[in-house]
Amino acid sequence: MLPHKQIELKLQTVVREILPDADVSAVLVRPCDPKFGDYQSNALMSLAKTRKLNPRQLATDVLARLDLASVCEKVEIAGAGFLNFRLKNSVLVASLQAAARGEHLFFTKAASPKTIVIDFSSPNVAKPMHVGHIRSTGIGDALQRALRLLGHKVISDNHIGDWGTQFGKLLLGWKQILNRAELERDAIAELERLYKVINAECDANPARLEEAKSELVKLQAGDAENVAIWKEMIALSQKQFDEIYGRLGVKFDHALGESFYNPWLSEVVNDLLAKKIARESEGAVGVFSDGTQPPKEDPFLVNRDGEWIADPALVRKSDGGFNYTTTDLATIDYRLKTWSPQEIIYVVDDRQSGHFKKLFLIFTRWKPDAAKTTKLVHVGFGKIMGEDGKPFKTRSGDTVKLGELLDEAVERAYKTVCEKSAELPEAQQREIARVVGLGAVKYADLLPNRQSDYIFSWDKMLALQGNTAPYLLYAYARIKSIFRKAEVKIQNAEIKLVAPEEITLANHLLNFGITLEAVAEELRPNYLCNYLFELAGKFTSFYENCPVLKADDAATRDSRLALCDLTARVLKQGLESLGIETVEQM
RNA sequence: GCGUCUGUAGCUCAGUUGGAUAGAGCACCUGCCUUCUAAGCAGGUUGUCGCGCGUUCGAUUCGCGCCAGACGCACCA
């Protein structure tokens, strides 16, 4: 068991003895400022607070019964009632030794694994994937990787936008102005052109709009020709998606698009009507407020000029068509029936938070029993802005296509590789550039707290210094370089932690699991980014101050090699959890 | 108008049950390549945590009210 878990366990046991009714699940330790110790618990202070106890007295009572002599140096009470723990050197060493033997990598699998459906990326058919898609795709993929690493059963599902009113216009365009040669050359660009042209015509001419609508109606009615064209558009788009996901190394267990749920949509609406959750209004069917919440917190109400008026979630349009709330409800139902998940996570733009609030509320009204066992979570994120603070666009004002963004990242990385590592063969330079470029894009997107908008900057992203993917990859490559030069193989080397840099690094390795758990708990990959950045920093400090291959004696050398190896393994595993590859040399 | 999110160093951003003297990178300055990759390291400078009030032993964190910005508000998703 990892040392901090041992501390927590003993601490919880003692707290339970002293306060039998206390909920000890929040009695945890956290890594802290090294001047106080390796770990700290402030849980006693909040326990004391709710019970109106003197926090220092409680800490004293707990400490009197706390026997951690085998794990820590003397435990200290500080300030208002902090407990500070410093690990015994032998415990730290033993933990590293166990990791070196392959018994663990500083994290433990979840005690009770959950089944979790994670819904992310969700690009639209017939449209190019743009820069915005990196957010849902990267965050979603990092989350699925971290959750899997911790032993949860994850089902990733790409809810592709393959249905909707846009197909009326696309079908009209396909039939009337399609350029076959262009379709061969760049299918997505041609489809995008069709949409743009017809859309403009529809805006200007109601008759064109009617034509488009009638194509849509034919598609929805199962007209053979329209269905065939629609399927071809999906196939062409899928080629694009596969190419991008292939480059990004993103895999889905399923890609059940919106259209997959068509057979159940009218059923969903009828059920909602039968259960009086939805009602008719102005020819449409919608879910309205049930009046159980104060108006301010009720997402089905909106204030207009001082009056609270209905803001329903429509599930059927007055023309009989369905809305995305309907599809999303059918999707929830399908996922419940198919996988019985404890959690369904939606990695979707924060601008849709209102939709999800409504959707989740409808779910609890519609499936009250399922709602008790399945938690729905919206993992929202902000927009990518240009350096002018406005939404990130190309110089000509178009949205930035994801494929082109990746190309440019790799190209820029290639230029740097050629400068810095001119001696390497070109194939290897290309490979380094690929990993560094793609890694830089992903890392830059995962690093900021996901809910805020962030400013996209080529220079910062591919900067060679600072909190960037290249910095982390460089630290990893330096370790690997040591092993290329090492003439010995380390096997069960005895680890000794003497130099301050060795101890600091070792302590930080132990926190990998705490970090992964925080990522899984709060669904924030940026915690892992910061952990790895610190790890790389502490390693580099060690590297500068503690010669490895040129250590004074063989024992020190072997010990340091073991420390290098563990650091490399955590770095690689951590980066992998972020969806970032590593290179052995750069 | 109402709602949601955001506001932390000159710039870009972190800040994990409320916790100790609020951190990092960039930029700027000073050192360090005949020693394992200088895409590096060591050190220095930088703050009314938007403003005010409240809860608390303790608030960047929680509550309320302002100010500023972004986004959203019935048949698109």
Short mmCIF file of all heavy atoms in Angstrom, two decimals, chain A residues 252-309:
data_model
loop_
_atom_site.label_atom_id
_atom_site.label_comp_id
_atom_site.label_asym_id
_atom_site.label_seq_id
_atom_site.Cartn_x
_atom_site.Cartn_y
_atom_site.Cartn_z
N PHE A 252 -12.53 5.15 -30.31
CA PHE A 252 -13.85 5.07 -29.71
C PHE A 252 -14.30 3.61 -29.70
O PHE A 252 -14.01 2.87 -30.63
CB PHE A 252 -14.87 5.89 -30.51
CG PHE A 252 -14.58 7.36 -30.52
CD1 PHE A 252 -13.79 7.91 -31.51
CD2 PHE A 252 -15.08 8.18 -29.53
CE1 PHE A 252 -13.51 9.28 -31.52
CE2 PHE A 252 -14.82 9.54 -29.52
CZ PHE A 252 -14.03 10.09 -30.53
N ASP A 253 -15.04 3.26 -28.67
CA ASP A 253 -15.63 1.93 -28.66
C ASP A 253 -16.83 1.88 -29.61
O ASP A 253 -17.12 0.85 -30.20
CB ASP A 253 -16.09 1.56 -27.25
CG ASP A 253 -14.91 1.53 -26.28
OD1 ASP A 253 -13.90 0.92 -26.63
OD2 ASP A 253 -15.01 2.14 -25.20
N HIS A 254 -17.51 3.02 -29.72
CA HIS A 254 -18.70 3.08 -30.57
C HIS A 254 -18.77 4.45 -31.23
O HIS A 254 -18.22 5.41 -30.72
CB HIS A 254 -19.98 2.87 -29.75
CG HIS A 254 -19.98 1.57 -29.00
ND1 HIS A 254 -20.37 0.38 -29.58
CD2 HIS A 254 -19.62 1.27 -27.72
CE1 HIS A 254 -20.25 -0.59 -28.68
NE2 HIS A 254 -19.79 -0.08 -27.54
N ALA A 255 -19.43 4.49 -32.36
CA ALA A 255 -19.71 5.77 -33.00
C ALA A 255 -21.16 5.71 -33.48
O ALA A 255 -21.44 5.57 -34.66
CB ALA A 255 -18.74 6.03 -34.15
N LEU A 256 -22.04 5.78 -32.51
CA LEU A 256 -23.47 5.71 -32.82
C LEU A 256 -23.97 7.13 -33.05
O LEU A 256 -24.14 7.89 -32.10
CB LEU A 256 -24.23 5.04 -31.67
CG LEU A 256 -23.72 3.64 -31.31
CD1 LEU A 256 -24.45 3.09 -30.09
CD2 LEU A 256 -23.90 2.70 -32.50
N GLY A 257 -24.15 7.48 -34.30
CA GLY A 257 -24.56 8.84 -34.64
C GLY A 257 -26.01 9.11 -34.25
O GLY A 257 -26.74 8.21 -33.82
N GLU A 258 -26.40 10.35 -34.41
CA GLU A 258 -27.76 10.74 -34.05
C GLU A 258 -28.80 9.90 -34.79
O GLU A 258 -29.84 9.54 -34.22
CB GLU A 258 -27.98 12.22 -34.38
CG GLU A 258 -27.17 13.14 -33.49
CD GLU A 258 -27.17 14.59 -33.94
OE1 GLU A 258 -27.65 14.86 -35.08
OE2 GLU A 258 -26.71 15.44 -33.19
N SER A 259 -28.52 9.58 -36.04
CA SER A 259 -29.52 8.88 -36.84
C SER A 259 -29.83 7.49 -36.29
O SER A 259 -30.90 6.95 -36.51
CB SER A 259 -29.05 8.75 -38.29
OG SER A 259 -27.91 7.91 -38.36
N PHE A 260 -28.87 6.94 -35.56
CA PHE A 260 -29.05 5.61 -34.99
C PHE A 260 -30.30 5.54 -34.10
O PHE A 260 -30.92 4.50 -33.96
CB PHE A 260 -27.80 5.27 -34.15
CG PHE A 260 -27.86 3.95 -33.42
CD1 PHE A 260 -27.66 2.76 -34.10
CD2 PHE A 260 -28.13 3.92 -32.06
CE1 PHE A 260 -27.71 1.54 -33.42
CE2 PHE A 260 -28.19 2.70 -31.38
CZ PHE A 260 -27.97 1.52 -32.07
N TYR A 261 -30.65 6.69 -33.54
CA TYR A 261 -31.75 6.72 -32.56
C TYR A 261 -33.11 7.06 -33.18
O TYR A 261 -34.11 7.10 -32.48
CB TYR A 261 -31.42 7.69 -31.43
CG TYR A 261 -30.13 7.28 -30.73
CD1 TYR A 261 -28.90 7.85 -31.09
CD2 TYR A 261 -30.12 6.28 -29.76
CE1 TYR A 261 -27.71 7.45 -30.49
CE2 TYR A 261 -28.94 5.86 -29.16
CZ TYR A 261 -27.74 6.45 -29.53
OH TYR A 261 -26.57 6.04 -28.94
N ASN A 262 -33.12 7.29 -34.50
CA ASN A 262 -34.37 7.68 -35.17
C ASN A 262 -35.54 6.76 -34.86
O ASN A 262 -36.65 7.25 -34.64
CB ASN A 262 -34.15 7.75 -36.68
CG ASN A 262 -33.40 9.00 -37.07
OD1 ASN A 262 -33.25 9.91 -36.25
ND2 ASN A 262 -32.91 9.06 -38.30
N PRO A 263 -35.34 5.44 -34.84
CA PRO A 263 -36.50 4.54 -34.65
C PRO A 263 -37.23 4.76 -33.33
O PRO A 263 -38.38 4.36 -33.20
CB PRO A 263 -35.87 3.14 -34.67
CG PRO A 263 -34.56 3.30 -35.34
CD PRO A 263 -34.11 4.69 -35.09
N TRP A 264 -36.56 5.37 -32.35
CA TRP A 264 -37.19 5.45 -31.03
C TRP A 264 -37.74 6.84 -30.69
O TRP A 264 -38.29 7.04 -29.61
CB TRP A 264 -36.16 5.05 -29.96
CG TRP A 264 -35.70 3.64 -30.12
CD1 TRP A 264 -36.46 2.51 -29.93
CD2 TRP A 264 -34.41 3.19 -30.51
NE1 TRP A 264 -35.72 1.39 -30.19
CE2 TRP A 264 -34.44 1.77 -30.54
CE3 TRP A 264 -33.21 3.83 -30.84
CZ2 TRP A 264 -33.34 1.00 -30.89
CZ3 TRP A 264 -32.11 3.06 -31.18
CH2 TRP A 264 -32.18 1.66 -31.21
N LEU A 265 -37.53 7.79 -31.61
CA LEU A 265 -37.85 9.18 -31.25
C LEU A 265 -39.34 9.40 -30.96
O LEU A 265 -39.71 10.02 -29.96
CB LEU A 265 -37.36 10.14 -32.33
CG LEU A 265 -35.84 10.11 -32.54
CD1 LEU A 265 -35.43 11.14 -33.59
CD2 LEU A 265 -35.08 10.37 -31.25
N SER A 266 -40.19 8.87 -31.83
CA SER A 266 -41.62 9.12 -31.60
C SER A 266 -42.09 8.40 -30.35
O SER A 266 -42.93 8.91 -29.60
CB SER A 266 -42.45 8.71 -32.82
OG SER A 266 -42.34 7.33 -33.03
N GLU A 267 -41.49 7.26 -30.10
CA GLU A 267 -41.78 6.52 -28.87
C GLU A 267 -41.45 7.36 -27.62
O GLU A 267 -42.22 7.40 -26.66
CB GLU A 267 -40.91 5.28 -28.88
CG GLU A 267 -41.49 4.02 -28.31
CD GLU A 267 -40.51 2.88 -28.57
OE1 GLU A 267 -40.45 2.37 -29.71
OE2 GLU A 267 -39.78 2.54 -27.62
N VAL A 268 -40.28 8.00 -27.67
CA VAL A 268 -39.86 8.83 -26.55
C VAL A 268 -40.88 9.93 -26.30
O VAL A 268 -41.33 10.16 -25.17
CB VAL A 268 -38.46 9.44 -26.80
CG1 VAL A 268 -38.14 10.53 -25.78
CG2 VAL A 268 -37.39 8.36 -26.76
N VAL A 269 -41.27 10.61 -27.38
CA VAL A 269 -42.23 11.71 -27.23
C VAL A 269 -43.56 11.20 -26.70
O VAL A 269 -44.16 11.79 -25.79
CB VAL A 269 -42.43 12.44 -28.58
CG1 VAL A 269 -43.52 13.49 -28.46
CG2 VAL A 269 -41.12 13.08 -29.01
N ASN A 270 -44.04 10.08 -27.24
CA ASN A 270 -45.32 9.54 -26.76
C ASN A 270 -45.25 9.17 -25.29
O ASN A 270 -46.20 9.40 -24.54
CB ASN A 270 -45.70 8.31 -27.59
CG ASN A 270 -46.10 8.70 -29.01
OD1 ASN A 270 -46.48 9.86 -29.25
ND2 ASN A 270 -45.98 7.78 -29.95
N ASP A 271 -44.13 8.61 -24.90
CA ASP A 271 -43.96 8.24 -23.50
C ASP A 271 -43.97 9.48 -22.60
O ASP A 271 -44.60 9.50 -21.53
CB ASP A 271 -42.64 7.46 -23.33
CG ASP A 271 -42.61 6.68 -22.03
OD1 ASP A 271 -43.69 6.27 -21.54
OD2 ASP A 271 -41.50 6.48 -21.49
N LEU A 272 -43.26 10.52 -23.05
CA LEU A 272 -43.24 11.76 -22.27
C LEU A 272 -44.64 12.36 -22.16
O LEU A 272 -45.03 12.88 -21.11
CB LEU A 272 -42.28 12.77 -22.90
CG LEU A 272 -40.78 12.44 -22.83
CD1 LEU A 272 -39.99 13.38 -23.71
CD2 LEU A 272 -40.28 12.51 -21.39
N LEU A 273 -45.38 12.27 -23.26
CA LEU A 273 -46.76 12.79 -23.25
C LEU A 273 -47.63 11.95 -22.31
O LEU A 273 -48.38 12.50 -21.49
CB LEU A 273 -47.35 12.76 -24.67
CG LEU A 273 -46.89 13.89 -25.60
CD1 LEU A 273 -47.27 13.58 -27.04
CD2 LEU A 273 -47.48 15.23 -25.17
N ALA A 274 -47.48 10.64 -22.41
CA ALA A 274 -48.31 9.74 -21.59
C ALA A 274 -48.03 9.96 -20.11
O ALA A 274 -48.94 9.89 -19.27
CB ALA A 274 -48.03 8.29 -21.97
N LYS A 275 -46.77 10.22 -19.80
CA LYS A 275 -46.41 10.42 -18.38
C LYS A 275 -46.61 11.87 -17.94
O LYS A 275 -46.18 12.25 -16.84
CB LYS A 275 -44.95 10.00 -18.16
CG LYS A 275 -44.77 8.49 -18.27
CD LYS A 275 -43.35 8.05 -18.06
CE LYS A 275 -43.28 6.53 -17.97
NZ LYS A 275 -41.99 5.99 -18.43
N LYS A 276 -47.17 12.66 -18.84
CA LYS A 276 -47.47 14.08 -18.55
C LYS A 276 -46.20 14.88 -18.23
O LYS A 276 -46.25 15.87 -17.48
CB LYS A 276 -48.46 14.19 -17.39
CG LYS A 276 -49.71 13.35 -17.54
CD LYS A 276 -50.94 14.23 -17.64
CE LYS A 276 -52.23 13.42 -17.70
NZ LYS A 276 -52.73 13.24 -19.08
N ILE A 277 -45.10 14.43 -18.75
CA ILE A 277 -43.86 15.19 -18.56
C ILE A 277 -43.78 16.26 -19.65
O ILE A 277 -43.29 17.36 -19.43
CB ILE A 277 -42.64 14.24 -18.61
CG1 ILE A 277 -42.71 13.29 -17.41
CG2 ILE A 277 -41.33 15.02 -18.59
CD1 ILE A 277 -41.83 12.06 -17.55
N ALA A 278 -44.30 15.92 -20.83
CA ALA A 278 -44.33 16.88 -21.94
C ALA A 278 -45.78 17.21 -22.27
O ALA A 278 -46.69 16.44 -21.97
CB ALA A 278 -43.64 16.28 -23.16
N ARG A 279 -45.97 18.37 -22.88
CA ARG A 279 -47.32 18.68 -23.38
C ARG A 279 -47.22 19.48 -24.67
O ARG A 279 -46.15 19.99 -25.03
CB ARG A 279 -48.12 19.43 -22.32
CG ARG A 279 -47.58 20.79 -21.95
CD ARG A 279 -48.52 21.45 -20.94
NE ARG A 279 -47.89 22.52 -20.20
CZ ARG A 279 -47.77 23.78 -20.66
NH1 ARG A 279 -48.19 24.09 -21.88
NH2 ARG A 279 -47.21 24.71 -19.91
N GLU A 280 -48.36 19.59 -25.32
CA GLU A 280 -48.39 20.30 -26.58
C GLU A 280 -48.48 21.80 -26.35
O GLU A 280 -49.08 22.26 -25.38
CB GLU A 280 -49.63 19.85 -27.38
CG GLU A 280 -49.29 19.51 -28.81
CD GLU A 280 -50.54 19.13 -29.58
OE1 GLU A 280 -51.02 18.01 -29.34
OE2 GLU A 280 -51.01 19.95 -30.36
N SER A 281 -47.85 22.56 -27.22
CA SER A 281 -47.91 24.01 -27.13
C SER A 281 -47.60 24.59 -28.50
O SER A 281 -46.57 24.29 -29.09
CB SER A 281 -46.88 24.49 -26.11
OG SER A 281 -46.75 25.90 -26.19
N GLU A 282 -48.51 25.40 -28.99
CA GLU A 282 -48.34 26.04 -30.30
C GLU A 282 -47.99 25.01 -31.37
O GLU A 282 -47.14 25.26 -32.23
CB GLU A 282 -47.27 27.13 -30.23
CG GLU A 282 -47.64 28.27 -29.28
CD GLU A 282 -46.49 29.24 -29.06
OE1 GLU A 282 -45.67 29.39 -29.98
OE2 GLU A 282 -46.42 29.84 -27.97
N GLY A 283 -48.59 23.85 -31.28
CA GLY A 283 -48.37 22.83 -32.31
C GLY A 283 -47.15 21.98 -32.08
O GLY A 283 -46.99 20.92 -32.68
N ALA A 284 -46.24 22.43 -31.21
CA ALA A 284 -45.05 21.64 -30.89
C ALA A 284 -45.29 20.89 -29.58
O ALA A 284 -46.28 21.14 -28.89
CB ALA A 284 -43.84 22.54 -30.76
N VAL A 285 -44.36 19.97 -29.26
CA VAL A 285 -44.43 19.28 -27.97
C VAL A 285 -43.17 19.61 -27.20
O VAL A 285 -42.06 19.52 -27.74
CB VAL A 285 -44.55 17.76 -28.17
CG1 VAL A 285 -44.50 17.05 -26.81
CG2 VAL A 285 -45.83 17.40 -28.90
N GLY A 286 -43.36 20.02 -25.95
CA GLY A 286 -42.19 20.39 -25.15
C GLY A 286 -42.36 20.00 -23.70
O GLY A 286 -43.45 19.72 -23.23
N VAL A 287 -41.22 19.96 -23.01
CA VAL A 287 -41.23 19.74 -21.57
C VAL A 287 -41.16 21.10 -20.91
O VAL A 287 -40.29 21.91 -21.24
CB VAL A 287 -40.04 18.87 -21.12
CG1 VAL A 287 -40.03 18.69 -19.61
CG2 VAL A 287 -40.08 17.52 -21.83
N PHE A 288 -42.09 21.33 -19.99
CA PHE A 288 -42.18 22.62 -19.31
C PHE A 288 -41.81 22.47 -17.84
O PHE A 288 -41.65 21.36 -17.34
CB PHE A 288 -43.59 23.20 -19.43
CG PHE A 288 -43.94 23.62 -20.83
CD1 PHE A 288 -44.23 22.68 -21.82
CD2 PHE A 288 -43.98 24.97 -21.17
CE1 PHE A 288 -44.54 23.07 -23.11
CE2 PHE A 288 -44.29 25.37 -22.46
CZ PHE A 288 -44.57 24.43 -23.44
N SER A 289 -41.71 23.59 -17.18
CA SER A 289 -41.43 23.59 -15.75
C SER A 289 -42.48 22.79 -15.00
O SER A 289 -43.66 22.84 -15.32
CB SER A 289 -41.42 25.03 -15.24
OG SER A 289 -41.40 25.04 -13.84
N ASP A 290 -42.03 22.04 -13.99
CA ASP A 290 -43.00 21.34 -13.15
C ASP A 290 -43.24 22.13 -11.87
O ASP A 290 -43.93 21.64 -10.96
CB ASP A 290 -42.53 19.93 -12.83
CG ASP A 290 -41.22 19.92 -12.03
OD1 ASP A 290 -40.66 21.00 -11.78
OD2 ASP A 290 -40.77 18.83 -11.66
N GLY A 291 -42.65 23.31 -11.79
CA GLY A 291 -42.93 24.19 -10.67
C GLY A 291 -42.35 23.75 -9.34
O GLY A 291 -42.67 24.31 -8.30
N THR A 292 -41.47 22.75 -9.36
CA THR A 292 -40.94 22.26 -8.09
C THR A 292 -39.73 23.07 -7.63
O THR A 292 -39.24 22.87 -6.53
CB THR A 292 -40.51 20.78 -8.19
OG1 THR A 292 -39.56 20.66 -9.25
CG2 THR A 292 -41.70 19.88 -8.47
N GLN A 293 -39.23 23.95 -8.48
CA GLN A 293 -38.04 24.70 -8.11
C GLN A 293 -38.32 26.19 -8.13
O GLN A 293 -39.20 26.64 -8.86
CB GLN A 293 -36.90 24.41 -9.09
CG GLN A 293 -36.52 22.96 -9.13
CD GLN A 293 -35.30 22.75 -10.00
OE1 GLN A 293 -34.22 23.19 -9.66
NE2 GLN A 293 -35.48 22.08 -11.10
N PRO A 294 -37.55 26.94 -7.35
CA PRO A 294 -37.71 28.39 -7.44
C PRO A 294 -37.40 28.86 -8.85
O PRO A 294 -36.49 28.31 -9.49
CB PRO A 294 -36.69 28.93 -6.43
CG PRO A 294 -35.87 27.78 -5.98
CD PRO A 294 -36.55 26.53 -6.37
N PRO A 295 -38.13 29.85 -9.34
CA PRO A 295 -37.98 30.29 -10.74
C PRO A 295 -36.54 30.57 -11.14
O PRO A 295 -36.13 30.24 -12.26
CB PRO A 295 -38.80 31.58 -10.80
CG PRO A 295 -39.75 31.48 -9.67
CD PRO A 295 -39.14 30.62 -8.62
N LYS A 296 -35.77 31.13 -10.22
CA LYS A 296 -34.39 31.47 -10.57
C LYS A 296 -33.55 30.24 -10.92
O LYS A 296 -32.62 30.31 -11.70
CB LYS A 296 -33.71 32.19 -9.39
CG LYS A 296 -33.87 33.69 -9.44
CD LYS A 296 -33.11 34.36 -8.32
CE LYS A 296 -31.71 34.76 -8.77
NZ LYS A 296 -31.10 35.75 -7.84
N GLU A 297 -33.89 29.12 -10.28
CA GLU A 297 -33.10 27.91 -10.51
C GLU A 297 -33.74 26.97 -11.52
O GLU A 297 -33.22 25.89 -11.79
CB GLU A 297 -32.90 27.17 -9.18
CG GLU A 297 -31.91 27.86 -8.27
CD GLU A 297 -32.15 27.56 -6.80
OE1 GLU A 297 -32.48 26.39 -6.50
OE2 GLU A 297 -32.04 28.48 -5.98
N ASP A 298 -34.89 27.36 -12.03
CA ASP A 298 -35.65 26.49 -12.91
C ASP A 298 -35.23 26.74 -14.37
O ASP A 298 -35.50 27.82 -14.91
CB ASP A 298 -37.15 26.77 -12.74
CG ASP A 298 -37.98 25.71 -13.41
OD1 ASP A 298 -37.53 25.14 -14.42
OD2 ASP A 298 -39.11 25.47 -12.94
N PRO A 299 -34.56 25.77 -15.00
CA PRO A 299 -34.10 26.02 -16.36
C PRO A 299 -35.23 26.10 -17.39
O PRO A 299 -34.99 26.51 -18.52
CB PRO A 299 -33.19 24.82 -16.65
CG PRO A 299 -33.62 23.77 -15.71
CD PRO A 299 -34.16 24.45 -14.50
N PHE A 300 -36.43 25.72 -16.96
CA PHE A 300 -37.55 25.79 -17.91
C PHE A 300 -38.30 27.12 -17.84
O PHE A 300 -39.36 27.27 -18.42
CB PHE A 300 -38.51 24.62 -17.67
CG PHE A 300 -37.88 23.28 -17.89
CD1 PHE A 300 -37.42 22.52 -16.83
CD2 PHE A 300 -37.70 22.79 -19.18
CE1 PHE A 300 -36.81 21.29 -17.04
CE2 PHE A 300 -37.10 21.57 -19.40
CZ PHE A 300 -36.65 20.81 -18.33
N LEU A 301 -37.72 28.05 -17.09
CA LEU A 301 -38.31 29.39 -17.01
C LEU A 301 -37.25 30.41 -17.40
O LEU A 301 -36.07 30.23 -17.13
CB LEU A 301 -38.79 29.68 -15.59
CG LEU A 301 -39.98 28.88 -15.06
CD1 LEU A 301 -40.27 29.26 -13.62
CD2 LEU A 301 -41.20 29.06 -15.94
N VAL A 302 -37.72 31.47 -18.03
CA VAL A 302 -36.80 32.55 -18.36
C VAL A 302 -37.50 33.86 -18.05
O VAL A 302 -38.72 33.99 -18.20
CB VAL A 302 -36.36 32.48 -19.85
CG1 VAL A 302 -37.53 32.70 -20.77
CG2 VAL A 302 -35.23 33.45 -20.13
N ASN A 303 -36.74 34.84 -17.59
CA ASN A 303 -37.33 36.11 -17.21
C ASN A 303 -37.30 37.07 -18.39
O ASN A 303 -36.26 37.34 -18.96
CB ASN A 303 -36.56 36.69 -16.03
CG ASN A 303 -37.30 37.85 -15.40
OD1 ASN A 303 -37.57 38.85 -16.05
ND2 ASN A 303 -37.63 37.70 -14.12
N ARG A 304 -38.48 37.57 -18.75
CA ARG A 304 -38.58 38.58 -19.82
C ARG A 304 -39.27 39.80 -19.26
O ARG A 304 -40.45 39.73 -18.90
CB ARG A 304 -39.42 38.04 -21.00
CG ARG A 304 -38.73 37.06 -21.89
CD ARG A 304 -37.91 37.75 -22.98
NE ARG A 304 -36.90 36.83 -23.48
CZ ARG A 304 -37.17 35.75 -24.22
NH1 ARG A 304 -38.41 35.48 -24.58
NH2 ARG A 304 -36.21 34.96 -24.61
N ASP A 305 -38.51 40.87 -19.14
CA ASP A 305 -39.06 42.13 -18.65
C ASP A 305 -39.80 41.93 -17.33
O ASP A 305 -40.94 42.37 -17.15
CB ASP A 305 -40.00 42.76 -19.70
CG ASP A 305 -39.24 43.01 -20.99
OD1 ASP A 305 -38.08 43.41 -20.92
OD2 ASP A 305 -39.82 42.76 -22.07
N GLY A 306 -39.14 41.24 -16.42
CA GLY A 306 -39.69 41.10 -15.08
C GLY A 306 -40.69 39.97 -14.89
O GLY A 306 -41.14 39.72 -13.79
N GLU A 307 -41.02 39.29 -15.97
CA GLU A 307 -41.99 38.20 -15.83
C GLU A 307 -41.35 36.87 -16.16
O GLU A 307 -40.60 36.75 -17.13
CB GLU A 307 -43.18 38.43 -16.77
CG GLU A 307 -44.36 39.09 -16.08
CD GLU A 307 -45.56 39.12 -17.01
OE1 GLU A 307 -46.25 38.08 -17.11
OE2 GLU A 307 -45.78 40.16 -17.66
N TRP A 308 -41.67 35.84 -15.36
CA TRP A 308 -41.12 34.52 -15.63
C TRP A 308 -42.02 33.82 -16.64
O TRP A 308 -43.19 33.56 -16.39
CB TRP A 308 -41.04 33.69 -14.34
CG TRP A 308 -40.00 34.25 -13.42
CD1 TRP A 308 -40.21 35.05 -12.33
CD2 TRP A 308 -38.58 34.08 -13.53
NE1 TRP A 308 -39.01 35.39 -11.75
CE2 TRP A 308 -37.99 34.81 -12.46
CE3 TRP A 308 -37.75 33.40 -14.42
CZ2 TRP A 308 -36.62 34.88 -12.26
CZ3 TRP A 308 -36.37 33.47 -14.22
CH2 TRP A 308 -35.82 34.20 -13.15
N ILE A 309 -41.45 33.54 -17.79
CA ILE A 309 -42.23 32.86 -18.82
C ILE A 309 -41.58 31.53 -19.17
O ILE A 309 -40.41 31.30 -18.89
CB ILE A 309 -42.41 33.74 -20.09
CG1 ILE A 309 -41.03 34.05 -20.69
CG2 ILE A 309 -43.16 35.01 -19.77
CD1 ILE A 309 -41.14 34.64 -22.07
#
